[in-house]
């Protein structure tokens, strides 16, 4: 065999899997059609979300559902042409989001969330000093525009923080603006989650981890994941340098993972939630200290190396449909005055895909029908958060080590 393992996908999850397998003496090839960190890992809000102890659930309140049905909100936009294809997936998502089932999902995800910062820190300790400065320990803030929404959210958040030993500061109007003086008076209070970390260039961080993999003797190749093929006791993939082979294959292609698993007969309900980002010039003297979520409008403003990055909520549309720009325009209308956004810095909005399963758990583990086939995808909004911890868990399973947590909730065969 050319390699012991071929990892398909050079986003944060695939790169992390490659590093952890290499750390366990496996000869690994990392294959993607693009360079590391140039897909979904490039365009997120840059959060390592230690406080995300409850998954993003389908809304259950009638008021929220009616608001979304009008299709005029900032945090969700849906393309009517795409709804029929999304309907079965959304129905299951709604079912899995009942209070009792959501509680189970939160319990299942907690071991991954609890280790997310530690696993990033372990990799950061091994990369160069310049790359390590990409990550900041300033947490993130939920900002609120109306006192009623702030009061209700603060009560729930403080209970959650106490239950999970999280560090949370509840900020009234004066405290919020003292902590983040660049904000306008549009916000009346905020919740500062201090355990998470933020990344000022997620794509560059993924590339730094990929460089660590290469420095350890790993191989990065440009190739077509759709050519993955089982031959006898080997998996083969065509790359620009020729066809390579390995006994084991890891599918870590995020929203594109179905291009490999579907032809092999697996019916995993993976769908992509679309989202956009744009960078803006900062016009105020004070510098934004951490990412801020405008909770009532549903977008994030994050301080990045390139400027202030606005990251939108969810767009439900066909994966290959042209960009609409609708969500970005709606969010920009709220954010420009609130955050002092100046001119746009990107020629075009960036469009990315969040790979989601309806039960709000990633798919991590061995495929049921093929020897040597492993899956690591479906991390929804938390790919950056869970990349390194996923890499550890998968590598432990693949090399016969005792996993740090029970991997049963993430098994592919649950679908």
């Amino acid at each position: 065999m050319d390699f012991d393992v071929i990892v398909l996908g050079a986003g944060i999850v695939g790169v992390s899997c490659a590093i952890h397998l290499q750390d366990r003496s496996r000869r690994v090839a990392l294959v993607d059609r693009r360079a590391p960190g140039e897909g979904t890992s490039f365009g997120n809000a840059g959060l390592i979300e230690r406080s995300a102890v409850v998954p993003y659930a389908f809304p259950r309140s009638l008021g929220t559902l009616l608001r979304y049905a009008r299709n005029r909100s900032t945090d969700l936009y849906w393309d009517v042409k795409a709804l029929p294809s999304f309907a079965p997936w959304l129905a299951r998502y709604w079912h899995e989001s009942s209070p009792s089932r959501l509680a189970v999902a939160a319990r299942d995800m907690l071991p991954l969330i609890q280790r997310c910062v530690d696993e990033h820190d372990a990799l950061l300790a091994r990369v160069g000093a310049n790359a390590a400065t990409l990550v900041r320990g300033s947490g993130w803030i939920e900002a609120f525009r109306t006192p009623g929404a702030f009061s209700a959210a603060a009560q729930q958040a403080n209970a959650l923080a106490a239950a999970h030993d999280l560090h949370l500061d509840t900020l009234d109007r004066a405290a919020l603006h003292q902590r983040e003086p660049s904000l306008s008076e549009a916000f009346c209070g905020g919740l500062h989650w201090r355990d998470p970390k933020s990344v000022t260039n997620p794509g560059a961080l993924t590339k730094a981890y990929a460089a660590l993999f290469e420095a350890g003797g790993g191989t990065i190749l440009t190739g077509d994941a759709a050519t993955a093929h089982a031959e006898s006791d080997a998996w083969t993939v065509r790359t620009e340098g020729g066809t390579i082979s390995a006994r084991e294959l890891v599918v870590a292609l995020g929203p594109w993972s179905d291009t490999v698993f579907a032809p092999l007969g697996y019916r995993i309900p993976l769908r992509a939630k679309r989202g956009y980002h744009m960078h803006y010039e900062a016009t105020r003297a004070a510098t934004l200290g951490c990412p801020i979520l405008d909770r009532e409008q549903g977008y994030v403003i994050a301080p990045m190396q390139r400027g202030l990055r606005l990251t939108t909520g969810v767009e439900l549309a066909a994966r290959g449909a042209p960009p609409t720009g609708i969500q970005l325009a709606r969010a920009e209308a709220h954010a420009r005055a609130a955050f002092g956004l100046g001119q746009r810095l990107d020629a075009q909005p960036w469009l990315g895909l969040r790979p989601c399963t309806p039960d709000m758990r990633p798919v991590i583990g061995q495929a049921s029908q093929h020897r040597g086939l492993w899956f690591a995808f479906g991390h929804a909004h938390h790919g950056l958060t869970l990349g390194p911890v996923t890499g550890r868990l998968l590598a432990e399973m693949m090399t016969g080590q005792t996993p740090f947590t029970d991997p049963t909730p993430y098994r592919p065969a649950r679908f």
Side-chain angles (χ1 to χ4, degrees), residues 112-309:
L112 302 184
I113 294 295
Q114 286 178 322
R115 289 184 66 114
C116 68
V117 169
D118 291 340
E119 294 298 337
H120 268 284
D121 285 348
L123 293 183
L124 288 168
R126 298 165 59 184
V127 302
N130 289 338
T133 62
L134 295 170
V135 180
R136 302 190 297 185
S138 53
W140 68 285
I141 293 175
E142 295 180 75
F144 295 83
R145 293 171 178 263
T146 60
F150 176 42
S151 177
Q155 184 176 1
Q156 295 177 353
N158 278 282
L160 196 68
H164 294 281
D165 196 26
L166 296 170
H167 299 88
L168 174 67
D169 294 337
T170 302
L171 310 173
D172 61 16
R173 183 186 294 273
L176 174 64
H177 289 89
Q178 182 178 16
R179 192 158 299 187
E180 292 291 349
S182 69
L183 293 182
S184 78
E185 292 296 319
F187 299 107
C188 65
L191 302 170
H192 188 180
W193 298 92
R194 294 192 284 113
D195 297 277
K197 293 189 175 183
S198 62
V199 182
T200 59
N201 189 329
L205 181 66
T206 304
K207 289 181 183 297
Y209 289 170
L212 177 66
F213 167 67
E214 281 192 296
T219 301
I220 299 177
L221 299 169
T222 302
D224 183 0
T227 65
H229 180 68
E231 293 183 0
S232 181
D233 61 344
W235 289 92
T236 64
V237 178
R238 289 203 300 268
T239 74
E240 289 185 353
T243 299
I244 60 172
S245 63
R247 292 192 185 279
E248 294 184 291
L249 182 76
V250 175
V251 180
L253 292 161
W256 304 100
S257 296
D258 61 336
T259 60
V260 176
F261 71 69
L264 293 173
Y266 296 91
R267 298 293 176 259
I268 298 172
L270 182 74
R271 297 304 300 258
K273 297 179 185 177
R274 302 189 351 156
Y276 300 84
H277 86 224
M278 171 61 67
H279 292 98
Y280 299 83
E281 180 184 44
T283 63
R284 294 175 182 161
T287 303
L288 198 64
C290 69
I292 296 182
L293 167 65
D294 184 339
R295 171 56 74 185
E296 292 170 79
Q297 294 301 330
Y299 63 89
V300 174
I301 299 292
M304 296 280 175
Q305 286 182 338
R306 182 163 170 75
L308 295 176
R309 176 183 289 185

Side-chain angles (χ1 to χ4, degrees), residues 334-355:
H334 294 285
R336 190 171 289 281
F339 290 89
L341 302 186
Q343 66 179 357
R344 289 186 171 190
L345 300 178
D346 304 323
Q348 297 293 334
W350 182 88
L351 168 62
L353 306 170
R354 305 172 180 111

Side-chain angles (χ1 to χ4, degrees), residues 376-391:
F377 55 80
H379 294 78
H381 298 255
H382 296 312
L384 178 64
T385 295
L386 299 177
V389 72
T390 295

Side-chain angles (χ1 to χ4, degrees), residues 13-99:
V13 175
V15 169
S16 298
C17 290
I19 291 173
H20 277 286
L21 286 164
Q22 182 184 70
D23 287 346
R24 289 157 179 81
S25 302
R26 296 299 191 265
R27 295 175 299 126
V28 183
L30 185 63
V31 179
D32 203 317
R33 60 184 177 178
R34 291 186 284 187
E38 295 188 358
T40 303
S41 297
F42 173 81
N44 52 71
L47 287 172
I48 303 173
E49 240 297 50
R50 173 63 183 84
S51 62
V53 293
V54 178
Y56 288 112
F58 194 102
R60 308 283 289 190
S61 74
L62 180 60
T64 302
L65 291 172
L66 290 175
R67 178 168 64 87
Y68 286 158
R70 290 193 290 269
N71 206 19
R72 296 181 179 275
S73 64
T74 303
D75 51 342
L76 174 68
Y77 169 76
W78 45 269
D79 180 0
V80 65
K81 298 187 296 296
L83 283 188
S85 67
F86 269 93
W89 188 91
L90 289 171
R92 182 162 182 179
Y93 185 18
W94 181 86
H95 172 69
E96 296 287 351
S97 298
S98 69

